[in-house]
């Protein structure tokens, strides 16, 4: 028998001056129109995709279930189990209060960032699906309505010969011509054969030239048929990142992503302001507080929060509103299953400054099988008008692809 994480002792959670439960806050009034609903349980199931996705379900006494997803990885299911007692008996329509309630309750376990925020995000996405079903409206309506009927998707591309410029260009052309995408991303933190020391973050001139050759090959091959971004995965020193970004200025680069490690925003600002190559950052920064200095200090040209990691749908909306004050567009990082991908699309429909949502699973032929609906078509996601997120889990597909040793959550 495993650990019952819902019963772990935590003095910080058991006593907090900023207690935001409905009972403590006096939010106990009866609600009309079928809105007097209580949460009865929260469950998770981890699916073994190209990432181990944590799917989340929130159950109610009305028999209505909301489905969400936390950013992939270990720890989220245990933390969600830990938080379940804080949600039982609550009205799921109070999404903002409940999210902040969990942040306060989990402060001792790290709700400023990391997997605790990720776990809260998964619950928050499920609450949007659930609230939409209770109110009979699509999730984007809960975020303020629509700016667009469909959201652009950029395809994260890979090839077995990831360091070969010609192979990358070939794959770019295939994805554009055969799969119908007009927005792509390739990795630049790939071995060049010129490395002397892979620990010191320094790029030698031959390494920079190798990366430039990938950029040149891909951008020239697709031309005006697609926008192309390039990802560095937080790999390089400040000086190396500046030299790389400046070297790429002659090419049509949509953006250069995460060229330096995410911790030091001062260095990030210097890199961004040193070049005309657009710089994108944000997937490894948590909640609006973490994104604030990047935006306010103009350390990014494009902000890239990961919705089921950063704090959820409303938190991403808040980040987008802050970014809009500085005229910064939002390109949501996304490595999720169809559930959180559609959640990101709803956010993208509801914010004015949406640029695109990432798709990272084009090599996984059963990705879309997890839900009953079609999700991506010709490089775009049409925003559903069905209540909630507008996607329905195929429970047989979920069960087929579960992580070894996992249990399937209840269907109802």
């Amino acid at each position: 028998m495993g650990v019952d994480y819902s019963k772990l002792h935590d003095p910080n959670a058991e006593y907090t001056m900023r207690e935001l439960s409905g009972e403590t806050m006096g939010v106990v009034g009866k609600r009309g129109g079928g809105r007097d609903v209580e949460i009865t349980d929260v469950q998770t199931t981890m699916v073994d995709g190209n990432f181990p996705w944590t799917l989340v379900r929130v159950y109610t006494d009305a028999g209505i279930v909301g489905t969400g997803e936390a950013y992939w990885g270990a720890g989220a299911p245990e933390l969600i189990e830990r938080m379940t007692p804080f949600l039982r008996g609550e009205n799921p329509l109070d999404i903002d209060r409940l999210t902040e309630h969990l942040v306060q309750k989990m402060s001792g376990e790290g709700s400023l960032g990391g997997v605790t925020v990720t776990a809260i995000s998964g619950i928050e996405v499920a609450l949007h699906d659930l609230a939409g079903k209770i109110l009979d409206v699509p999730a984007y309506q809960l975020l303020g309505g629509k700016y667009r009927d469909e959201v652009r998707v950029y395809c994260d591309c890979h090839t077995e010969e990831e360091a070969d410029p010609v192979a990358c260009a070939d794959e770019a052309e295939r994805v554009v011509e055969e799969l119908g995408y007009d927005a792509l991303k390739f990795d630049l933190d790939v071995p060049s054969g010129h490395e002397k020391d892979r620990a010191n973050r320094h790029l030698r001139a031959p390494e920079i030239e190798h990366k430039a050759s990938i950029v040149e090959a891909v951008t020239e091959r697709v031309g005006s048929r697609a926008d192309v971004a390039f990802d560095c995965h937080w790999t390089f020193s400040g000086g190396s990142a500046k030299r790389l970004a400046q070297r790429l200025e002659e090419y049509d680069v949509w953006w250069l992503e995460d060229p330096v490690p995410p911790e030091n925003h001062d260095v990030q600002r210097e890199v961004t302001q040193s070049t005309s190559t657009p710089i994108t950052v944000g997937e490894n920064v948590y909640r609006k507080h973490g994104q604030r200095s990047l935006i306010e200090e103009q350390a990014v040209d494009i902000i890239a929060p990961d919705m089921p990691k950063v704090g959820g749908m409303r938190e991403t909306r808040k980040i987008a509103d802050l970014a809009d004050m500085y005229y910064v567009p939002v390109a949501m990082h996304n490595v999720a299953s169809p559930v959180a991908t559609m959640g990101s699309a709803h956010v993208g429909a509801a914010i004015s400054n949406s640029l695109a949502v990432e798709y990272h699973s084009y090599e996984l032929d059963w990705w879309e099988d997890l839900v009953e609906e079609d999700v991506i078509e010709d490089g775009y996601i049409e925003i559903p008008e069905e209540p909630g997120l507008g996607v329905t889990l195929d429970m047989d597909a979920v069960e087929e692809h579960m992580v070894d040793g996992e249990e399937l959550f209840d269907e109802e």
Side-chain angles (χ1 to χ4, degrees):
M1 183 174 178
V3 174
D4 184 349
Y5 290 96
S6 66
K7 294 180 179 172
L8 290 182
H9 175 62
D10 178 4
N12 290 287
E14 291 158 14
Y15 175 77
T16 171
M17 286 298 294
R18 196 161 183 261
E19 168 70 51
L20 299 178
S21 67
E23 182 179 4
T24 302
M25 296 294 294
V27 184
V28 295
K30 291 291 182 181
R31 309 185 195 195
R35 294 178 296 116
D36 203 38
V37 177
E38 290 187 3
I39 296 171
T40 58
D41 198 14
V42 184
Q43 298 178 18
T44 64
T45 294
M46 188 176 286
V47 172
D48 192 13
N50 55 325
F51 296 87
W53 302 310
T54 297
L55 303 180
V56 184
R57 303 203 96 189
V58 177
Y59 300 81
T60 67
D61 61 354
I64 305 172
V65 178
T67 302
E69 179 180 351
Y71 186 86
W72 67 274
E78 291 84 356
L79 285 163
I80 290 169
E81 182 182 343
R82 172 81 181 97
M83 289 183 277
T84 297
F86 308 142
L87 293 170
R88 288 197 180 102
E90 294 283 354
N91 192 307
L93 297 176
D94 296 339
I95 299 174
D96 203 74
R97 177 179 62 81
L98 293 181
T99 302
E100 188 64 19
H101 179 47
L102 295 179
V103 168
Q104 293 297 316
K105 283 288 193 181
M106 299 299 289
S107 59
E109 291 167 87
S111 56
L112 294 180
V115 69
T116 305
V117 173
T118 293
I120 294 171
S121 301
I123 294 171
E124 196 263 12
V125 176
L127 289 176
H128 275 87
D129 186 47
L130 180 53
K133 291 175 180 176
I134 293 170
L135 299 174
D136 197 29
V137 296
Y140 72 78
Q141 203 72 64
L142 304 173
L143 299 170
K146 270 200 296 193
Y147 277 90
R148 51 194 65 83
D149 286 334
E150 59 182 14
V151 172
R152 192 182 190 192
V153 175
Y154 74 89
C155 184
D156 191 295
C157 302
H158 299 274
T159 173
E160 291 183 2
E161 301 173 89
E162 60 182 355
D164 181 357
V166 174
C168 291
D170 288 345
E171 180 66 357
E173 185 165 40
R174 186 187 76 84
V175 172
V176 170
E177 292 298 320
E178 297 182 15
L179 304 185
Y181 290 90
D182 64 1
L184 317 174
K185 186 169 75 176
F186 283 83
D187 292 343
L188 279 191
D189 57 324
V190 296
S192 67
H194 301 290
E195 293 83 7
K196 295 294 184 183
D197 186 330
R198 293 182 64 102
N200 61 24
R201 303 191 185 280
H202 178 70
L203 282 174
R204 301 172 62 240
E207 294 176 76
I208 290 178
E209 289 306 310
H210 171 260
K211 298 180 191 315
S213 70
I214 294 176
V215 172
E216 179 180 27
V218 173
T219 56
E220 290 189 356
R221 180 73 69 86
V222 300
S224 61
R225 292 177 295 168
D227 294 313
V228 188
F230 296 89
D231 199 345
C232 299
H233 292 107
W234 337 282
T235 302
F236 309 125
S237 68
S240 293
K242 289 178 186 178
R243 290 187 294 120
L244 174 62
Q246 290 164 5
R247 175 65 180 85
L248 301 181
E249 287 176 349
E250 65 181 277
Y251 305 114
D252 186 14
V253 174
W254 199 17
W255 71 70
L256 186 66
E257 185 171 328
D258 289 320
V260 296
E263 297 90 350
N264 192 325
H265 291 180
D266 292 335
V267 175
Q268 181 62 64
R269 181 184 64 248
E270 291 177 6
V271 171
T272 299
Q273 296 180 359
S274 73
T275 179
S276 62
T277 298
I279 304 296
T280 299
V281 178
E283 70 175 270
N284 269 339
V285 184
Y286 293 87
R287 304 180 64 209
K288 61 183 183 291
H289 307 284
Q291 309 275 349
R292 181 176 64 86
S293 65
L294 287 172
I295 296 167
E296 291 184 347
E297 297 179 15
Q298 300 179 58
V300 293
D301 296 302
I302 300 166
I303 197 76
D306 190 300
M307 185 278 294
K309 181 179 185 180
V310 76
M313 295 172 69
R314 287 182 62 79
E315 193 75 4
T316 304
R317 163 89 217 212
K318 293 172 185 178
I319 292 165
D321 289 342
L322 176 60
D324 196 46
M325 293 177 64
Y326 291 83
Y327 319 124
V328 172
V330 179
M332 278 175 271
H333 182 267
N334 175 62
V335 294
S337 84
V339 175
T341 298
M342 187 60 82
S344 293
H346 276 276
V347 176
I351 61 176
S352 64
N353 48 344
S354 175
L355 193 60
V357 173
E358 183 175 12
Y359 173 50
H360 205 291
S361 304
Y362 79 116
E363 297 167 299
L364 190 68
D365 60 7
W366 54 266
W367 182 83
E368 205 161 79
D369 294 346
L370 282 181
V371 296
E372 296 177 3
E373 300 80 5
D374 295 332
V375 178
I376 301 172
E377 185 172 349
D378 295 328
Y380 284 78
I381 297 175
E382 184 177 350
I383 307 304
E385 283 300 311
E386 288 75 21
L389 296 182
V391 289
T392 308
L393 285 179
D394 184 315
M395 299 297 278
D396 291 335
V398 172
E399 186 172 20
E400 179 183 354
H401 297 291
M402 289 189 305
V403 170
D404 288 344
E406 182 61 282
E407 295 183 4
L408 185 66
F409 36 40
D410 295 338
E411 190 160 354
E412 297 293 343

